[in-house]
Amino acid sequence: MKYNDIRTTFLDFFESKGHKIVPSASLIPNDPTLLFTVAGMVPWKGILQGTEPAFAPRVADVQKCIRAGGKHNDLDEVGFDGRHHTFFEMVGNWSFGDYFKQEAIEYSWELLTKVLGLDPAKIRVTTHETDEESTEIWRKVSGKEAIRLGDKDNWWSAGDTGPCGPCTEIFYDFGADIENEDDRWVELWNDVFMQYDRDANGNLTPLPKRNVDTGGGLERWAAVLQNKKDNYDTDLFVNLMKAIESVTGVTKTQENTPSFKVIADHLRAVGFAIADGVIPSNTDRGYVIRRILRRAMRHGQILGHKGALLSKLYPALITEMGAAYPELAREETRVTEIIQNEENAFADMLQNGMKLLENEIPKINNNVLPGDIAFKLFDTYGFPLDLTQMILRDKNIDVDVAGFEKSMAEQKERSRANTKGTRTLWESQTQLSATDDSTKYAPDNLLRSKVLSILRNGEFTSDAQAGDEVEVALDKTNFYGTQGGQVGDSGELRKDDETIMNVSEATRVDNVVIHKGTLVKDLKVGDIVSTIINSSLRQQTARAHTATHLLQSALRQVLNDDVEQRGSKVSPDSVRFDFSFGRAMTAEEKQAVEDLINKWINADMPVTHEEMSLDEAKTKGAMALFGEKYGDKVKVITAGDISCELCGGTHIYHTGEIMHAKINKEKSISSGIRRITMSVGSLAE
């Protein structure tokens, strides 16, 4: 059975059992403790822990997940065995206070043996040593005697206290001829039965509503159903590797198979993450994706390939997975553009970094690269430690990791010691005149600007080199600088039609717009550059900003007119909105607000942008932001007859451009102040 057919069969089966089929949630979780959605239960965490109401009694989905680094995965192992992945899909069926052990076990057995046709003789199950009920159900359903294990293997909990319960795991036997037990037995499915609440003393109290939380790896299912011991030998990966052969012009062999595996795996992680709104950067989840992308590029170079790689392979990913995940095709232009920019920047950085490395290799003693050199490669050229290790591994050279970590710690200490801060440094540049950003509302017009100042490593400099992290002030720009809760634009500075700097964010220090990012080529004060914003991300931010205005109007209608904005953060397709209100919203109120916003979106109302005097705006009835100061001339954004606000941000021109809105969470952040997080556009869909 082919990969895509397995996914469809799973969902069809549970739909026939009365489950609501829901699409995968975003890889960007609504959970500040996680960089990515790492498991199928992440989107349902609030429901499973009883902090959010269930929207349906039984649900099934196939959730896209990323595990890369830390306790969730060892990135170095990906590509060198048949089981590890950075991106994977997790199948799951969920009961929120509906059915329990009997039905869950029956469904698992029926799907695996009757629908998917696995040989019952090759299936083994485990249960918790105290779970007599599950053990007896398995005995009756399958005729099998479960293997009884302890807490380490068959008990699930959200932490030391809270919801918990036993689980039953289902394994497939690849055969006694396989000596390695981990390779012989493949875990297919885990059914978790949340039936207790554990207090601080370890006492277990039965929950009033018992939940079922299941999960299985689709990649493993495909391997078992296609009789492959290696996940990468299944049809989806075989097709992706054929695409790699086509793009690189290199035939896959036994020797180069690890590189093919790395590229195929990393293509999925990078493509899906960027389609969901992750932007490669030097921090948090953006850094993880940048690291994965660069690792794929390095393996392309090991194959002998030069130039763009993942951007050329992205259409093959759409071919294989686009039917199940339409966001891949919908975001194709934006995703390939971002990947191309990363590939171009890294190619230049790699070239410069390799020069440094080649100069240092002859100086190496005892086949160990000093840690300070490895840190310089990281700090100046963007080489993650594992990339340096990968390059040197072929030369049988190690890296002084302890020395690298010591240099890293010293730099962090220097950063902490710099009490001036970036803002204070820019404020000291009294000779800088205000940036002319009058074209920020018409950013597609070609604009040529002069470099006025460059800040690097806490010091102003007349020039900087490729690979440097810098902040640049120009005499004029079409970038919107972070202001009024809206994040600034990203994009590029170009010189002679070549990218000279990747701008990760534009910010403001008083009236000066600062362009933050990484140099691709050398830059000096006085250079003339073209400013090119990322139009796709600008559009996503604009629709999120207009959605923020609709959110405030909906809150005032559903709650009361006393609701006032107390702060916001508007990012691409994501909204964080703080407002004055004295209690938690009910589930019905949150749904009413969401429904009202989507009603206005579907009405496709015109959104007008007008500049007028402050007195004219007041006469028009425009709402002002609490505590904000306005000049004599203001910008007024009006959405149909629903919203009229003073706002200097960027906005769309019809509410239909927002596409859809989804309220994710509402909580208290201080006395009398609530916070709503909301997704719009592709993230909400």
Side-chain angles (χ1 to χ4, degrees):
M1 183 178 288
K2 292 189 179 298
Y3 197 98
N4 288 321
D5 295 334
I6 299 168
R7 188 191 298 109
T8 302
T9 299
F10 174 85
L11 295 174
D12 288 347
F13 173 80
F14 279 102
E15 187 172 36
S16 74
K17 301 298 184 182
H19 290 65
K20 180 179 177 62
I21 305 302
V22 297
S24 171
S26 171
L27 283 167
I28 303 175
N30 185 30
D31 184 338
T33 67
L34 296 173
L35 288 181
F36 295 100
T37 299
V38 295
M41 65 84 64
V42 170
W44 317 123
K45 188 175 179 180
I47 298 175
L48 294 170
Q49 294 183 344
T51 59
E52 297 177 14
F55 61 92
R58 47 178 72 183
V59 170
D61 66 355
V62 180
Q63 175 63 47
K64 51 194 178 185
C65 304
I66 284 181
R67 295 182 183 177
K71 65 179 181 179
H72 289 119
N73 196 16
D74 186 345
L75 185 60
D76 290 338
E77 293 184 30
V78 175
F80 294 91
D81 64 13
R83 300 277 173 82
H84 281 84
H85 302 277
T86 53
F87 174 93
F88 64 97
E89 296 177 85
M90 184 171 281
V91 300
N93 57 289
W94 318 84
S95 168
F96 303 130
D98 188 14
Y99 62 82
F100 204 48
K101 295 179 182 179
Q102 181 76 38
E103 295 90 338
I105 291 173
E106 288 177 349
Y107 292 155
S108 299
W109 185 250
E110 180 182 354
L111 178 58
L112 290 176
T113 62
K114 304 288 178 56
V115 179
L116 296 176
L118 292 180
D119 182 357
K122 293 187 175 183
I123 293 177
R124 296 289 183 272
V125 298
T126 64
T127 57
H128 192 261
E129 56 192 3
T130 64
D131 192 0
E132 299 292 344
E133 183 181 2
S134 293
T135 304
E136 181 60 27
I137 293 171
W138 273 117
R139 191 178 292 126
K140 292 180 178 179
V141 168
S142 68
K144 290 183 175 294
E145 196 64 39
I147 300 170
R148 312 290 291 276
L149 299 174
D151 290 358
K152 179 181 177 182
D153 298 289
N154 283 86
W155 188 270
W156 180 92
S157 65
D160 294 335
T161 61
C164 59
C167 66
T168 179
E169 295 182 334
I170 305 169
F171 294 83
Y172 181 82
D173 183 7
F174 267 116
D177 58 318
I178 300 177
E179 294 183 7
N180 188 319
E181 290 292 302
D182 290 337
D183 292 334
R184 175 180 175 180
W185 299 96
V186 177
E187 181 188 337
L188 289 180
W189 215 341
N190 185 14
D191 291 359
V192 174
F193 305 123
M194 297 185 194
Q195 63 186 104
Y196 300 110
D197 181 74
R198 181 163 55 194
D199 65 20
N201 295 320
N203 300 313
L204 299 177
T205 304
L207 290 168
K209 283 190 175 183
R210 303 179 301 180
N211 300 318
V212 173
D213 160 13
T214 82
L218 190 54
E219 292 75 11
R220 293 185 181 184
W221 285 30
V224 168
L225 289 165
Q226 295 176 28
N227 196 29
K228 305 293 185 183
K229 296 179 176 62
D230 189 318
N231 294 356
Y232 291 90
D233 289 336
T234 56
D235 67 301
L236 182 144
F237 285 102
V238 167
N239 292 336
L240 290 180
M241 290 181 187
K242 288 179 180 177
I244 295 170
E245 287 183 327
S246 177
V247 168
T248 63
V250 177
T251 301
K252 184 168 79 75
T253 65
Q254 184 175 352
E255 289 73 23
N256 64 24
T257 289
S259 290
F260 273 80
K261 287 182 176 181
V262 168
I263 295 167
D265 172 88
H266 292 7
L267 168 65
R268 298 208 303 167
V270 170
F272 272 93
I274 296 177
D276 271 4
V278 178
I279 305 300
S281 68
N282 285 334
T283 58
D284 300 327
R285 62 177 64 94
Y287 174 70
V288 175
I289 295 306
R290 173 171 282 173
R291 183 182 175 197
I292 292 172
L293 190 154
R294 291 179 175 180
R295 188 169 186 260
M297 285 189 67
R298 178 58 186 165
H299 276 276
Q301 292 176 335
I302 291 173
L303 293 176
H305 177 73
K306 304 297 181 184
L309 179 60
L310 296 190
S311 57
K312 290 185 176 180
L313 288 169
Y314 188 76
L317 181 64
I318 296 175
T319 299
E320 294 303 314
M321 304 188 72
Y325 300 99
E327 65 268 24
L328 291 176
R330 186 172 60 242
E331 300 293 332
E332 180 176 10
T333 300
R334 183 177 66 84
V335 173
T336 53
E337 179 184 350
I338 290 172
I339 294 176
Q340 284 172 347
N341 288 341
E342 283 292 310
E343 289 174 329
N344 292 338
F346 184 61
D348 289 331
M349 291 179 193
L350 187 64
Q351 182 178 4
N352 292 324
M354 287 301 295
K355 290 179 182 178
L356 171 64
L357 200 54
E358 289 166 1
N359 288 333
E360 293 295 331
I361 286 175
K363 307 173 188 176
I364 289 176
N365 295 318
N366 301 320
N367 287 335
V368 177
L369 181 75
D372 61 329
I373 301 300
F375 179 75
K376 185 176 181 180
L377 283 165
F378 167 78
D379 192 41
T380 305
Y381 299 105
F383 277 42
L385 176 61
D386 61 340
L387 176 61
T388 302
Q389 291 172 316
M390 185 194 310
I391 293 170
L392 294 177
R393 190 175 295 132
D394 294 338
K395 303 178 185 296
N396 295 317
I397 298 174
D398 292 326
V399 176
D400 175 13
V401 176
F404 173 87
E405 293 174 345
K406 180 175 181 290
S407 295
M408 176 75 80
E410 289 172 351
Q411 191 213 46
K412 289 180 179 179
E413 185 60 35
R414 286 193 297 271
S415 296
R416 283 192 291 268
N418 181 13
T419 55
K420 286 186 175 181
T422 298
R423 183 178 183 87
T424 304
L425 287 170
W426 280 109
E427 287 175 342
S428 70
Q429 299 297 289
T430 54
Q431 81 283 1
L432 280 179
S433 56
T435 307
D436 177 5
D437 64 347
S438 57
T439 59
K440 64 177 178 287
Y441 298 118
D444 294 332
N445 296 334
L446 182 64
L447 189 67
R448 294 180 62 77
S449 308
K450 183 178 180 181
V451 176
L452 299 181
S453 191
I454 301 172
L455 179 65
R456 179 187 61 194
N457 296 332
E459 296 181 357
F460 289 96
T461 179
S462 60
D463 57 45
Q465 289 72 49
D468 287 348
E469 298 281 343
V470 296
E471 297 182 12
V472 176
L474 306 173
D475 64 342
K476 52 184 177 292
T477 187
N478 51 12
F479 280 68
Y480 181 92
T482 299
Q483 186 179 22
Q486 177 179 324
V487 300
D489 285 327
S490 60
E492 302 174 1
L493 301 184
R494 293 180 185 172
K495 182 179 177 184
D496 300 327
D497 293 326
E498 290 186 320
T499 301
I500 196 166
M501 176 179 175
N502 285 316
V503 179
S504 58
E505 183 186 4
T507 63
R508 297 185 71 91
V509 176
D510 297 327
N511 293 321
V512 178
V513 177
I514 310 300
H515 305 75
K516 296 182 177 181
T518 306
L519 290 181
V520 177
K521 295 185 179 299
D522 296 351
L523 182 71
K524 62 180 183 296
V525 171
D527 280 350
I528 303 299
V529 297
S530 299
T531 56
I532 312 295
I533 74 160
N534 186 319
S535 299
S536 176
L537 288 181
R538 160 69 76 91
Q539 174 69 5
Q540 290 175 260
T541 305
R543 64 189 178 198
H545 205 153
T546 304
T548 308
H549 289 202
L550 299 186
L551 171 60
Q552 178 163 222
S553 294
L555 286 169
R556 291 169 69 88
Q557 284 200 28
V558 172
L559 301 179
N560 60 59
D561 287 339
D562 293 330
V563 167
E564 289 186 337
Q565 181 177 344
R566 288 293 188 266
S568 67
K569 182 178 181 181
V570 179
S571 306
D573 279 357
S574 179
V575 170
R576 189 184 74 201
F577 186 83
D578 301 338
F579 62 102
S580 57
F581 196 56
R583 60 168 174 82
M585 294 173 64
T586 65
E588 291 77 13
E589 288 169 338
K590 285 187 283 187
Q591 190 62 55
V593 168
E594 183 179 302
D595 290 344
L596 199 52
I597 296 170
N598 284 310
K599 175 184 174 182
W600 295 335
I601 291 172
N602 294 333
D604 199 24
M605 299 179 296
V607 180
T608 61
H609 309 208
E610 300 173 278
E611 187 171 286
M612 61 186 70
S613 70
L614 183 58
D615 288 339
E616 288 174 319
K618 291 178 179 178
T619 301
K620 187 179 175 68
M623 184 184 302
L625 180 62
F626 174 83
E628 188 70 37
K629 295 180 179 180
Y630 297 94
D632 294 332
K633 284 289 185 180
V634 294
K635 191 180 177 191
V636 177
I637 305 297
T638 306
D641 58 355
I642 300 303
S643 170
C644 182
E645 292 189 39
L646 300 178
C647 184
T650 62
H651 289 268
I652 54 177
Y653 290 87
H654 286 87
T655 58
E657 296 174 52
I658 300 172
M659 298 159 56
H660 192 66
K662 175 67 177 176
I663 291 178
N664 301 316
K665 200 167 188 177
E666 185 265 349
K667 66 178 183 180
S668 171
I669 59 170
S670 63
S671 178
I673 305 295
R674 311 292 300 178
R675 171 172 291 172
I676 278 181
T677 55
M678 182 172 75
S679 299
V680 302
S682 56
L683 287 184
E685 292 185 329

